Amino acid sequence: MRALRIFLIVVVVIGVLFVIVDRVAVHFAQGEAADKLKTTEDLASTPDVSIKGFPFLTQVASGTLDDVHVGIKEYDATTGTAGKTIRVEDLNADMKDVTFTGDYSSATAKTATGTALVSYGELLKNAQTAPADLGLGFTGQVVGLADGGNGKIKVTVDVKVPGVSAHQKVTVLSTVTVRNNTVQVHADNLPKLAGVSLAEDRFRQASDFRQAIDQLPGGIKLAKVEAVQDGVEIAVKGSNVKLAG
């Protein structure tokens, strides 16, 4: 009995030590990966990297991590216009089957899925830089974006009516979609302005717009987009996504 008791105590102690070593190792690896990702993507702050699964050391021995979560608070994506970027917030991605080098200088995920948010203010800033010619002397420009409910964006267009000093603000509900890493906003129905029906294609020069959101971390792509209360929520996905290196 005494020998069995000693054996059980030894097993428990070894188990506890293994857990401690495992958790220390995963904490170190997460810090190294986060630092590499910050450098690779030129981020302003260190991202959150969380390696899932237990034990960690057996995953290291296999050379592949089952599941790694990456969280980036703010990321400046390119817009397709030289010198202009668009701020992407709360980018969270789950990376599966991540292979890596021993010093974590290079890590690649077989697949990745996640979400991010682009605020209406940020989207508006890039929507249109100058008033559009709507024809018949009318000009229009997007001046407001907000949640329209049911997955729609409420787009407010400021219209200059010819012959009068006052402007007319027109609101339309718009559908938002994504294609080729570009968010597309398209008005569902078009209004009459000052009793005049303008040609649809002319009014859409003001109300409809596209915004590229490109070169996201690791080469992940926009997969889906939805209008929510605070902005446009985007789903992202990718394959052979580079976390570092």
Side-chain angles (χ1 to χ4, degrees):
M1 287 296 294
R2 184 167 181 266
L4 178 60
R5 188 180 303 113
I6 293 173
F7 174 75
L8 291 175
I9 291 172
V10 170
V11 170
V12 170
V13 170
I14 291 176
V16 170
L17 289 175
F18 176 78
V19 171
I20 292 173
V21 170
D22 191 82
R23 293 301 89 188
V24 170
V26 75
H27 180 74
F28 172 79
Q30 288 172 164
E32 287 293 302
D35 289 341
K36 295 292 184 183
L37 182 58
K38 179 184 178 183
T39 301
T40 301
E41 298 295 339
D42 193 26
L43 302 176
S45 59
T46 303
D48 172 60
V49 175
S50 179
I51 300 173
K52 308 294 184 179
F54 178 83
F56 166 69
L57 292 176
T58 59
Q59 296 182 67
V60 171
S62 71
T64 302
L65 302 177
D66 297 334
D67 187 359
V68 178
H69 174 82
V70 175
I72 300 175
K73 191 64 178 174
E74 294 181 339
Y75 184 84
D76 291 330
T78 60
T79 63
T81 301
K84 292 190 68 175
T85 60
I86 186 166
R87 178 66 52 86
V88 177
E89 301 176 8
D90 297 326
L91 175 58
N92 290 281
D94 289 309
M95 313 288 185
K96 304 295 185 182
D97 299 326
V98 180
T99 56
F100 58 94
T101 57
D103 61 354
Y104 305 103
S105 61
S106 176
T108 303
K110 185 176 181 180
T111 60
T113 57
T115 59
L117 181 77
V118 178
S119 70
Y120 287 121
E122 191 69 16
L123 194 61
L124 175 63
K125 188 174 70 175
N126 291 275
Q128 192 166 332
T129 57
D133 180 8
L134 307 183
L136 301 178
F138 290 81
T139 58
Q141 184 174 14
V142 174
V143 294
L145 298 175
D147 179 23
N150 297 320
K152 303 291 185 179
I153 294 181
K154 184 166 63 176
V155 179
T156 301
V157 180
D158 183 66
V159 177
K160 176 66 172 64
V161 181
V164 298
S165 59
H167 288 218
Q168 179 182 352
K169 284 186 170 56
V170 179
T171 298
V172 294
L173 288 179
S174 299
T175 297
V176 56
T177 57
V178 64
R179 183 178 180 183
N180 297 330
N181 268 11
T182 299
V183 174
Q184 303 181 352
V185 179
H186 182 83
D188 295 346
N189 296 292
L190 301 181
K192 287 186 176 181
L193 302 176
V196 178
S197 295
L198 298 176
E200 178 177 328
D201 60 340
R202 298 300 292 266
F203 184 79
R204 289 193 182 280
Q205 292 184 30
S207 65
D208 295 6
F209 62 92
R210 300 178 179 183
Q211 179 57 60
I213 302 176
D214 211 350
Q215 294 186 12
L216 292 170
I220 54 177
K221 305 294 185 181
L222 304 189
K224 186 180 177 182
V225 63
E226 181 180 2
V228 295
Q229 183 176 359
D230 299 326
V232 174
E233 185 176 81
I234 56 178
V236 297
K237 67 177 182 180
S239 56
N240 296 321
V241 175
K242 286 190 173 294
L243 292 167

